[in-house]
Amino acid sequence: MDADRALLTPRGELVRGCAEALAEKLAGLPVGTARIDLDMSGVHFMDSAGLEFLEVLRDHGRRRRLPVTATRWNGQPRRILELAGLDTTDPLRSPAPHGTPPPAPSAVAREREERLHLLQEEVEQLRQAVASRPVIDQARGILMATYGCTSDEAWHILREASQLANTKLRAVAESLTACAATEGTPPPEEVRIALSRAAARRSSR
């Protein structure tokens, strides 16, 4: 105790039973305690029980109408707070007033954003691949009939032609199917050359 301020210094791990231990400690504080501060620098591990620990402290402060803080987080407990979306300076801090600039994003938040962006790109690629499947299958059929090759060989010809012409595989397939249609237009010259070269390479192997 420092006058009417209580300083608690938890040590070790915040695991099952820690919330109950804190509740017992809080109940034993002297009457007239006007503030409770927790120095968390001695805590090196916590699981979900650590969040219950914080709720006990928060509820005590609300019931007694006194300020409570839990500061100096580090290591694994700090990362748990980040993952939970809590303020790592003091997870018990009241929300900032309206109009206050948001804090700088944490490393975990940036990592989440990057992973989300990669997942969105992957989903978009898969969506395009599914949408392209019918026209690609048609183009493979055309190549199989034209060159007397297997389905796998037709796929390799398409893929190699796409690389040689520096054109998306779907665009190569679309030009082939358009050419095969009634009154269809021939593929662009660079695609025709790329297809011929790719087919010649395949037949020579």
Side-chain angles (χ1 to χ4, degrees):
M1 296 298 300
D2 179 10
D4 58 358
R5 171 181 176 257
L7 174 63
L8 278 65
T9 55
R11 304 290 181 190
E13 302 179 350
L14 296 184
V15 291
R16 184 177 180 180
C18 65
E20 291 79 1
L22 176 63
E24 182 178 347
K25 178 63 68 174
L26 294 174
L29 290 176
V31 177
T33 299
R35 179 185 182 88
I36 303 173
D37 296 315
L38 269 68
D39 179 346
M40 308 301 295
S41 60
V43 176
H44 58 78
F45 175 85
M46 78 176 192
D47 55 19
S48 59
L51 301 179
E52 298 176 16
F53 179 93
L54 289 173
E55 281 302 314
V56 167
L57 181 59
R58 178 183 284 111
D59 289 345
H60 183 86
R62 287 173 179 168
R63 289 196 309 271
R64 303 295 177 91
R65 296 183 180 180
L66 51 83
V68 293
T69 67
T71 59
R72 302 189 67 192
W73 297 83
N74 52 55
Q76 185 266 358
R78 181 185 178 92
R79 182 167 176 80
I80 293 297
L81 295 180
E82 290 180 332
L83 291 171
L86 298 174
D87 186 340
T88 56
T89 304
D90 179 6
L92 302 178
R93 180 182 296 174
S94 300
H98 180 69
T100 302
S106 67
V108 172
R110 288 194 298 269
E111 181 182 343
R112 282 179 177 172
E113 186 176 350
E114 290 173 0
R115 289 175 61 191
L116 178 60
H117 180 66
L118 290 174
L119 287 173
Q120 288 172 335
E121 286 185 345
E122 184 177 345
V123 168
E124 179 60 21
Q125 290 172 1
L126 289 172
R127 186 189 66 77
Q128 292 181 3
V130 170
S132 302
R133 185 63 184 270
V135 70
I136 290 174
D137 285 346
Q138 292 176 38
R140 288 169 72 176
I142 293 169
L143 290 173
M144 290 166 65
T146 303
Y147 297 106
C149 59
T150 65
S151 177
D152 285 343
E153 288 173 335
W155 166 252
H156 287 295
I157 291 172
L158 266 179
R159 190 173 63 180
E160 190 167 346
S162 169
Q163 295 170 351
L164 290 171
N166 195 24
T167 304
K168 289 184 178 181
L169 193 145
R170 178 186 172 89
V172 174
E174 286 176 340
S175 66
L176 262 178
T177 55
C179 177
T182 304
E183 299 181 357
T185 56
E189 183 178 2
E190 65 273 13
V191 173
R192 284 189 284 112
I193 294 173
L195 282 167
S196 297
R197 289 175 60 187
R201 289 183 182 181
R202 184 59 48 183
S203 61
S204 64
R205 292 176 183 174

